Amino acid sequence: MEIKTSEELTKKINELKEKVVDLSADEDLAIGVMNLISMEEHLYFTAEKTQKREYFDLLNQVREIRKKMMEKLIGKPEGELWCFTKHTLSASMRLIEVGTKLQSQNKKDEAKEIFDLAYDLFNIFWGIKLNIINLQDIEKEITHKEKILEETKKDFSLKKLIEKLIDCCKE
């Protein structure tokens, strides 16, 4: 079954909950990871704003905990899925915070839209974790787009250079 909407994905996850395992502990862990990511961000900004380096030390301690919890949650996935899932959880958490602020400003329609997007991202995370989303189809689409880009920029090597210099997924 190919899943095309967040509703279909939610339905599939609920079916898996009933048939396979109780995902409540993993859901709590996912939210815990979201909060750890947020803590890392706040420690970074606090270190920069106060110019106190000890906040970077604390950030590293929180980061190590987050890495352990991420591994418990998703194992060691292939390619850049570690980073993708981390950023999916992080973006979901940020959108929840934005939605909450909009809600408190009585902008309920805007808040609902943002909350729905946050939940879509959260469902994408679960789709990957539970192997519901067909990653091979996504990879084929990305490869196709990269081929088109390469054809239009054959002599441009900056992209290749940057890819070799920067690897965001080294934890």
Side-chain angles (χ1 to χ4, degrees):
M1 172 185 171
E2 186 174 326
I3 297 170
K4 296 185 179 193
T5 66
S6 62
E7 290 83 15
E8 290 174 352
L9 182 58
T10 302
K11 181 180 176 188
K12 183 69 173 174
I13 288 171
N14 287 333
E15 288 172 5
L16 284 170
K17 277 184 180 181
E18 292 173 13
K19 292 179 183 176
V20 182
V21 290
D22 175 13
L23 295 176
S24 62
D26 278 354
E27 186 174 30
D28 287 342
L29 186 54
I31 293 169
V33 168
M34 293 163 82
N35 281 289
L36 288 165
I37 293 167
S38 192
M39 289 169 64
E40 288 177 67
E41 293 168 354
H42 285 292
L43 288 167
Y44 162 77
F45 283 112
T46 299
E48 288 296 329
K49 289 175 183 178
T50 65
Q51 293 299 302
K52 293 182 179 175
R53 307 317 263 164
E54 57 267 22
Y55 288 110
F56 287 124
D57 296 334
L58 186 54
L59 185 155
N60 282 334
Q61 291 175 18
V62 171
R63 183 174 182 270
E64 289 304 313
I65 294 168
R66 191 248 318 142
K67 285 170 42 181
K68 287 177 187 174
M69 296 304 100
M70 284 273 303
E71 190 170 340
K72 278 183 165 296
L73 187 62
I74 62 169
K76 293 185 178 183
E78 65 186 1
E80 293 197 15
L81 285 181
W82 174 280
C83 282
F84 179 81
T85 56
K86 176 181 70 173
H87 291 296
T88 301
L89 290 174
S90 177
S92 180
M93 175 64 117
R94 278 286 163 241
L95 290 177
I96 291 167
E97 289 186 13
V98 170
T100 301
K101 287 177 184 177
L102 289 169
Q103 187 79 15
S104 72
Q105 297 168 358
N106 207 28
K107 298 177 180 177
K108 294 182 180 189
D109 290 338
E110 290 177 65
K112 172 74 168 107
E113 184 179 333
I114 298 295
F115 285 145
D116 289 346
L117 292 171
Y119 196 61
D120 286 346
L121 285 173
F122 196 62
N123 284 329
I124 288 170
F125 165 79
W126 286 104
I128 290 171
K129 177 176 172 36
L130 299 172
N131 295 316
I132 297 170
I133 294 175
N134 187 341
L135 294 173
Q136 291 175 341
D137 288 345
I138 294 170
E139 186 176 317
K140 285 178 191 172
E141 185 176 327
I142 290 169
T143 302
H144 176 71
K145 288 179 181 175
E146 285 177 350
K147 284 181 184 176
I148 292 170
L149 186 62
E150 286 299 317
E151 288 175 10
T152 60
K153 298 181 177 180
K154 283 184 181 174
D155 296 327
F156 189 70
S157 62
L158 180 60
K159 178 184 176 219
K160 292 175 185 170
L161 175 64
I162 297 298
E163 285 176 351
K164 289 180 181 177
L165 291 175
I166 299 173
D167 182 3
C168 73
C169 294
K170 289 189 178 168
E171 288 285 349

